[in-house]
Amino acid sequence: MSVLAKTTYFWRSAVRGIARRPFIHLVAVVTIAVVLFAAGLARSAAQLVDSLLVAIGGDVEVTVYLKEGATESLAGEIASELASKTGGSAVVVPPHAAMERLRGELGELGDVLNDLPRNPLPYSIQLQLPADRRTPQVLGPIAAEARSIAGVAGAEFGEEAVARLSSISKALRYGGVVAFTIIAFATVFIISAILQLAIYSRREEIEIQKLVGATARFVKAPFLIEGTMQGLVGAGVAMVGLWAFSAVFGPRLLVLFSFLVRPGDRVSLLAPSLVAELLALGCALGLGGSFAAVGRFLKG
Amino acid sequence: MIQMFHVYKAYPGNPPSLADITLQIEKGEFVFVTGPSGAGKTTLLKLIFCAEKATEGQVLVDGRNLVRIRDSAIPFLRRNVGVVFQDFKLLPQRTVAENVAFTLEVLGVPRRECRDRVMRMLKLVGLNHKAEVLPIRLSGGEQQRVVIARALVNDPTILLADEPTGNLDPALTIEIMDLLCEVNVRGTTVLVATHDTQLLGRYPKRTLRLDRGYLVSSQDDLASRRWMAAG
């Protein structure tokens, strides 16, 4: 028997099903669209938080302290060695500059430094890495390697601050995934409940199908197609919503969150990767909902 | 061939719907299943198309044991067993032709072949001129003929009819019974469940008589007529 004939039947039946009960399917599409719209906004918010973390992380650098008695030329050699090895930028800080900076940081208490018989601060090197490499996993080994260089007394990079930033970033990311997973399950449950109404209204048809020898897969197929179509339409509606939101509120939000966004950066609500993700999620929600609904109906 | 060996069917908390049923129906036979309401006629038919499974005993249809059949194999069994119901079970929003085609759609028959077979079957039941009409526009007899066409369109070897004339007047009853006899003459095994004793008198066929779940007689047509005369 013809696979083409069956496929044609499934699509015809799915379209007919949607056309006969447009309101039920509209509710399902709107539910999916609202969830995906919220997911899209959350995704953009996550991007902003990432920008914030990068901005804060910008202050993180490795400070390499040289041994007492190190010369300016040795400091320069070590600085260029570190820069070439790490791909970052290294600046030599002479002892007097370090003292001036310390004095400035101490403010009024800075006068205490005048009582020192000599400047105890050694030459140091400030090494700054590209933003995406400012993690404990990258900075730790670099600091360790710097410590092993001859003439280096020590190296530190503010492990605690970096670890905390990374933890915040990780927590937000995992929290987002967990929250979305819970919302996705709730959505699948809601969609399945809505679709069960559509399936229930076709119970006679299903009963006759089973009596004349339809397999469970045959009965399910049109409903799964309906679910997938709802998911895709829902994703489309969510994308239109995000585009409209971006067009209306985007410029104002960029001004509002300018402290998070680096100059020249744009937070797009409809990046190509997001479009693909929303379409895939829409399919998954629609398909999952209809799969659960028709499965429950056939078991009942 | 349909065979039952010491078949019981019971629902929790109720006396058995069928008890110790042993019978054999040959290929191409026409058999009435009769008895008062609640005797177990419908349950007996349900066992044959696997709408129910026997609690005890063995049910064999064309050599396949339906007590042990897997759920996934039931649809393939049903493609060989046509079923006709008293309440028709037609889809009101589909035309006569679409209702009959429903069986073939399940089998994935291409549309053109499907149309040809549906028209041939509608011609057999005398409804080819009403192919595009909705069932609601048909008389009870015509609706039952659509159901018979739907049950036969994929050439099943067995046709089960549960009170097929229960909702019809005497003229339409004869019309439907003549059609079922014609189907039987073409080689299909036909089982008709009915409590209409007049029907049994008019069509002398083998009769299985059930009473409170027990098979009380399983006569051939001559014995059946004697039993009817005595009753």
Side-chain angles (χ1 to χ4, degrees), chain B residues 94-191:
Chain B
R94 295 198 184 202
T95 64
V96 165
E98 285 171 342
N99 266 284
V100 177
F102 206 60
T103 309
L104 298 177
E105 283 173 345
V106 165
L107 301 177
V109 175
R111 281 188 101 177
R112 182 172 295 178
E113 188 188 336
C114 187
R115 208 166 29 235
D116 292 346
R117 285 171 69 173
V118 166
M119 289 316 291
R120 232 179 301 147
M121 193 47 62
L122 286 177
K123 199 171 174 188
L124 177 77
V125 298
L127 283 176
N128 47 330
H129 60 293
K130 293 199 171 173
E132 297 311 316
V133 174
L134 290 175
I136 200 163
R137 304 259 172 233
L138 302 177
S139 70
E142 286 173 327
Q143 289 191 42
Q144 196 58 293
R145 280 193 276 158
V146 178
V147 178
I148 293 170
R150 185 182 65 195
L152 292 174
V153 73
N154 62 331
D155 298 320
T157 55
I158 299 168
L159 179 68
L160 307 176
D162 190 7
E163 303 279 6
T165 59
N167 287 333
L168 307 180
D169 63 35
L172 291 177
T173 295
I174 290 168
E175 189 183 290
I176 293 301
M177 284 309 300
D178 287 348
L179 180 58
L180 291 176
C181 288
E182 194 184 327
V183 167
N184 176 240
V185 167
R186 292 158 71 98
T188 308
T189 307
V190 178
L191 263 83

Side-chain angles (χ1 to χ4, degrees), chain A residues 205-222:
Chain A
E205 192 177 324
I206 294 172
E207 187 194 351
I208 297 168
Q209 276 181 334
K210 286 163 83 179
L211 284 174
V212 297
T215 57
R217 235 181 291 171
F218 185 91
V219 175
K220 281 178 187 172

